[in-house]
């Protein structure tokens, strides 16, 4: 299958990308980035897009794909809800709508987060916005959409885009919360298997991601 990945210059996107490049079921990966990602691989293509809401000039490059693994995102720390919503909700939905128009059978996997608020009415700003994004994507794609809610994640060997806080605190925290810890290899495998085999739930918590990665 042919996959589009966003967020390859971040920790989650890079981990998912490396797993896809190793997987025999993936024949091509197109990374859509705002800045260049330094990697050469026979399966890998790159498309630089400054504004994910302005895709009119990239129609041909985005056609012919089976799935999108949307791993792009930003921390809500220090951001107002309007600004965070524009990046997390508006930009994601605009990107998803364009891909669906070009690839009607596309499976869209969205990296959300543990404790995302599906009701959209909770007190935690980022959780409300993520919940609203999940709900809109399910409505847009129907059964071809999955929301991944990882918690603590371990980087894949060879990753370069790992924040210092994860390098320092990750190995210290993970042993105390094994039920909340996933490797990015597991996340990548689960995303691939969601496309190949499907899953009975469209919102995947840590246990679901772990289970789907084994299939």
């Amino acid at each position: 299958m042919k996959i589009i990945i966003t967020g390859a210059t971040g920790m989650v996107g890079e981990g998912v990308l490396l797993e896809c490049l190793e997987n025999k079921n993936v024949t091509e990966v197109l990374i859509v980035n705002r800045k260049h990602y330094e990697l050469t691989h026979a399966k890998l293509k790159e498309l630089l897009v400054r504004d994910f809401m302005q895709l009119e000039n990239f129609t041909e490059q985005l056609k012919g794909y089976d799935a999108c693994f949307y791993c792009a995102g930003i921390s809500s720390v220090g951001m107002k809800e309007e600004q965070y919503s524009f990046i997390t909700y508006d930009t994601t939905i605009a990107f998803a709508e364009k891909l669906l128009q070009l690839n009607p059978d596309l499976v869209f996997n969205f990296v959300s987060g543990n404790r995302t608020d599906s009701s959209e009415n909770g007190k935690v700003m980022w959780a409300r916005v993520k919940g609203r994004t999940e709900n809109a994507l399910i409505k847009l794609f129907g059964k071809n959409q999955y929301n991944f809610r990882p918690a603590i994640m371990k980087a894949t060997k060879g990753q370069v885009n790992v924040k210092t806080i994860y390098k320092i605190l990750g190995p210290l925290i993970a042993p105390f919360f094994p039920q909340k810890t996933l490797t990015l290899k597991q996340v990548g495998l689960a995303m691939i298997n969601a496309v190949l085999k499907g899953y009975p739930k469209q919102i995947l918590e840590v246990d679901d991601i772990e289970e789907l990665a084994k299939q």
Side-chain angles (χ1 to χ4, degrees):
M1 59 182 164
K2 297 171 66 177
I3 297 171
I4 292 171
I5 297 177
T6 68
T9 56
M11 177 178 167
V12 178
E14 184 181 44
V16 170
L17 168 63
L18 294 178
E19 186 56 37
C20 287
L21 293 177
E22 288 188 5
N23 194 285
K24 64 180 182 180
N25 294 299
V26 179
T27 57
E28 181 182 310
V29 178
L30 174 68
I31 52 174
V32 182
N33 295 333
R34 293 184 179 89
K35 60 183 180 180
H36 176 61
Y37 177 78
E38 196 65 46
L39 180 66
T40 301
H41 192 282
K43 293 183 183 180
L44 185 62
K45 294 181 178 180
E46 183 180 57
L47 178 63
L48 295 179
V49 179
R50 289 186 177 274
D51 186 350
F52 278 22
M53 299 186 75
Q54 301 294 329
L55 299 173
E56 291 80 9
N57 295 328
F58 306 103
T59 298
E60 292 305 314
Q61 295 97 316
L62 295 171
K63 283 183 180 178
Y65 286 88
D66 302 296
C68 174
F69 298 169
Y70 198 94
C71 304
I74 192 168
S75 170
S76 64
V77 176
M79 299 185 75
K80 293 184 178 180
E81 185 164 353
E82 182 179 1
Q83 183 184 16
Y84 183 71
S85 293
F86 178 79
I87 296 170
T88 302
Y89 178 85
D90 297 281
T91 303
T92 303
I93 299 304
F95 190 87
E97 287 176 338
K98 187 63 175 180
L99 287 191
L100 184 59
Q101 177 189 340
L102 299 173
N103 307 281
D105 297 319
L106 186 89
V107 175
F108 195 94
N109 291 342
F110 175 64
V111 176
S112 188
N114 186 244
R115 298 184 179 179
T116 290
D117 178 16
S118 297
S119 76
E120 307 180 30
N121 296 314
K123 294 181 179 180
V124 180
M125 182 271 282
W126 73 262
R128 288 197 307 271
V129 175
K130 287 274 193 178
R132 184 158 62 98
T133 308
E134 287 184 351
N135 292 340
L137 288 171
I138 290 173
K139 184 176 181 180
L140 184 62
F141 287 90
K143 62 181 178 61
N144 282 344
Q145 202 278 319
Y146 299 94
N147 297 294
F148 286 71
R149 294 181 174 183
I152 303 168
M153 289 176 284
K154 294 181 180 178
T156 297
K157 184 178 180 180
Q159 281 197 244
V160 296
N161 294 314
V162 182
K163 292 181 179 179
T164 303
I165 189 169
Y166 283 100
K167 291 179 181 178
I168 297 173
L169 296 181
L172 299 176
I173 295 174
F176 295 98
F177 300 96
Q179 73 280 10
K180 292 292 184 182
T181 301
L182 292 164
T183 64
L184 281 171
K185 179 178 181 66
Q186 288 175 302
V187 176
L189 278 172
M191 286 195 168
I192 292 168
N193 287 338
V195 183
L196 292 174
K197 305 174 183 181
Y199 196 70
K201 300 178 184 178
Q202 288 184 270
I203 294 177
L204 286 76
E205 304 289 355
V206 173
D207 291 346
D208 298 300
I209 297 170
E210 187 175 17
E211 176 63 28
L212 185 54
K214 297 175 183 176
Q215 295 184 11

